[in-house]
Amino acid sequence: MPTGASPAGVRPGDEAAAAKSIREMFGRVAPRYDLLNRLLSARIDVYWRNRLVDSIRDILARPDARVLDVCCGTGDVALALERERNKSGAARRPVLASDFCRPMLDGARKKLHSYGSPLFEGDAMRLPLPDASVDALTVAFGFRNLANYRKGLQEFHRLLAPGGRLAILEFSQPTVPLLGPLFDLYFRYVLPPIGNAVSGSGGAYSYLQKSVERFYSAEELAAEMRSVGFDMVSFRRLTGGISCLHVGSKA
Ligand SMILES: C[S@@+](CC[C@H](N)C(=O)[O-])C[C@H]1O[C@@H](n2cnc3c(N)ncnc32)[C@H](O)[C@@H]1O
């Protein structure tokens, strides 16, 4: 059952400490983050992020739509959103992007400078934006790291304007027979040593495997989204359920 608790079952008083250690870990990984993503996912991550973009394509087509990518990391989602938004060549509002890890944001700044996307530092559970200030909010592979899932969802709900849409892309549990055990072997025994060695982070990619293992099932995350007030909640498993795209609207 969803509890709203953090990946590690962190108590509320420990949330700040958990967030600090996650932020520091991503700070260590940042210089090699993009390289490792492409290497360890064989570029499937690019396909997944494009499906995330698809899920808000209608909103992106509105030139005045306010779009925010949370936990933006080195900016791959924000870049894909900007590319989609700029296809028509018409004037449009730039995509906003935020993360609480400065070295990751530095990577995003380099990627996005030609689009003028405003980037800002902030914890996804308390963003410095007014209520109902965005029409679409995306988060890719960041939600699982929040110290309190329910608080994160409540914050996303607060930030969305009525009619706005939330899209969360996250790792999930494979549902295709045989893929589950194979993926488990890869995630336990292949990915951590390569990721830890190449990133030089001494444990970040072991954390990745553990955080995915203890994350919500797709059904649980959908239930938690409904319980904080999201409407029209649905999910789509990608690549046999290795990742999952969740979408919900604010009434
Ligand atoms: C796995 S990376 C994903 C980055 C990017 N969205 C992507 O698709 O590549 C997770 C990101 O979430 C950020 N993050 C984790 N917890 C956060 C929080 N509570 N507030 C803001 N950012 C957070 C990390 O700093 C990191 O950049």
Side-chain angles (χ1 to χ4, degrees), residues 14-240:
D14 297 335
E15 282 173 18
K20 182 171 179 283
S21 92
I22 297 284
R23 189 167 54 243
E24 289 172 355
M25 182 191 75
F26 278 108
R28 292 192 294 277
V29 164
R32 300 273 167 87
Y33 178 77
D34 287 348
L35 168 72
L36 276 163
N37 263 354
R38 300 298 110 79
L39 189 72
L40 295 170
S41 78
R43 293 189 67 85
I44 297 173
D45 61 317
V46 176
Y47 165 78
W48 291 338
R49 288 192 190 83
N50 287 339
R51 301 295 73 75
L52 176 68
V53 173
D54 287 346
S55 72
I56 59 160
R57 196 176 288 277
D58 54 327
I59 298 177
L60 290 170
R62 291 171 5 211
D64 62 337
R66 299 155 299 176
V67 179
L68 169 65
D69 183 48
V70 167
C71 300
C72 71
T74 56
D76 279 357
V77 171
L79 182 64
L81 293 168
E82 287 288 20
R83 284 187 175 142
E84 177 59 32
R85 210 151 155 65
N86 281 274
K87 267 185 183 163
S88 72
R92 85 299 171 253
R93 267 181 207 257
V95 171
L96 283 169
S98 75
D99 199 285
F100 73 173
C101 174
R102 199 168 297 168
M104 294 293 264
L105 273 177
D106 289 343
R109 199 161 283 119
K110 284 184 202 133
K111 256 180 227 170
L112 290 159
H113 81 274
S114 61
Y115 291 100
S117 325
L119 302 177
F120 62 97
E121 216 172 311
D123 190 313
M125 296 188 303
R126 298 173 281 284
L127 286 167
L129 293 175
D131 294 357
S133 55
V134 301
D135 300 298
L137 191 152
T138 55
V139 49
F141 307 112
F143 184 74
R144 173 179 32 86
N145 301 294
L146 300 191
N148 187 310
Y149 300 144
R150 176 173 281 269
K151 269 192 197 165
L153 289 175
Q154 286 168 336
E155 179 66 345
F156 301 160
H157 195 266
R158 179 188 78 77
L159 291 171
L160 283 164
R165 195 175 306 152
L166 168 67
I168 299 178
L169 179 63
E170 255 310 342
F171 285 111
S172 193
Q173 294 85 24
T175 47
V176 170
L178 281 184
L179 186 62
L182 280 177
F183 179 68
D184 196 47
L185 281 176
Y186 173 73
F187 232 54
R188 264 175 209 273
Y189 301 109
V190 181
L191 184 143
I194 299 177
N196 291 336
V198 177
S199 67
S201 72
Y205 285 78
S206 308
Y207 159 81
L208 169 64
Q209 181 261 323
K210 291 194 183 90
S211 69
V212 172
E213 211 169 72
R214 65 193 170 214
F215 187 53
Y216 287 156
S217 67
E219 291 81 4
E220 286 172 337
L221 178 51
E224 193 77 335
M225 286 171 69
R226 285 189 197 98
S227 82
V228 305
F230 282 99
D231 239 14
M232 296 192 287
V233 173
S234 64
F235 61 82
R236 175 183 168 194
R237 297 184 206 276
L238 302 171
T239 320

